[in-house]
Amino acid sequence: MKIERLTRVSDDIVESLGQLMVQLAPDCKPLTGEYLQEIIDLPNIFLFVAKQGDQIVGTFSLVLYKIPTGLKASLEDVVVDVSMRGQKIGEKMIEFALEYANTQLEVSKLDLTSSPYRVAANALYRKLGFELRDTNVYRFEFK
């Protein structure tokens, strides 16, 4: 398995990432090549894929942001294809993300959120050193 940052979009990538996003969030809007290219072109977003051969088996994003308290990053949209789970792909992706955020982006903190029903993912995050924060997360949804 190899992990690489996406720098270009193809129809195969759009299809593969679209299938992964539906597994993560069934109500997400269908991805388009234009939308993915916009993401890739942003200087503060790093979109990665995990591949076995030519097949994309997982993905995650690192979102970099500067605020008065320092340079930070958020780990977003972490998902491994349901047919590939149990092979430590998620663990390798998270370890890669941690190393990349620390050495390449030089962030002071890396945050992520995960739904409580994702029991295996939450256990993995704790195993790899993430600490559950004592905080409230609020969301306002625009209709």
Side-chain angles (χ1 to χ4, degrees):
M1 185 197 72
K2 66 180 179 177
I3 297 171
E4 59 188 42
R5 183 178 176 192
L6 285 182
T7 57
R8 63 174 182 78
V9 174
S10 69
D11 290 342
D12 290 340
I13 290 171
V14 172
E15 182 179 342
S16 294
L17 290 183
Q19 291 172 1
L20 288 171
M21 289 303 104
V22 169
Q23 292 177 37
L24 181 65
D27 61 343
C28 73
K29 294 179 183 178
L31 292 177
T32 65
E34 295 79 22
Y35 184 73
L36 277 178
Q37 192 63 54
E38 285 178 28
I39 292 170
I40 290 169
D41 290 342
L42 290 169
N44 66 315
I45 298 182
F46 302 79
L47 178 58
F48 294 91
V49 292
K51 296 173 98 176
Q52 285 195 342
D54 290 336
Q55 181 185 3
I56 294 175
V57 296
T59 187
F60 64 91
S61 297
L62 287 170
V63 180
L64 188 65
Y65 56 99
K66 281 186 178 182
I67 56 177
T69 56
L71 181 62
K72 299 179 183 180
S74 179
L75 183 55
E76 300 287 342
D77 294 342
V78 179
V79 61
V80 173
D81 188 275
V82 68
S83 69
M84 302 300 288
R85 293 183 186 159
Q87 300 180 40
K88 298 200 180 279
I89 293 168
E91 185 171 342
K92 291 174 186 171
M93 289 189 335
I94 299 302
E95 288 171 341
F96 181 96
L98 289 168
E99 177 69 16
Y100 194 92
N102 184 36
T103 62
Q104 301 297 312
L105 302 178
E106 299 178 343
V107 299
S108 62
K109 295 179 181 161
L110 179 63
D111 291 322
L112 68 85
T113 60
S114 185
S115 296
Y117 73 85
R118 298 185 70 213
V119 175
N122 282 279
L124 174 62
Y125 301 144
R126 285 189 300 275
K127 173 185 167 188
L128 294 176
F130 284 87
E131 295 177 4
L132 186 61
R133 294 183 65 199
D134 185 22
T135 187
N136 296 329
V137 176
Y138 296 93
R139 173 175 288 160
F140 185 92
E141 290 198 29
F142 296 93
K143 306 285 184 220

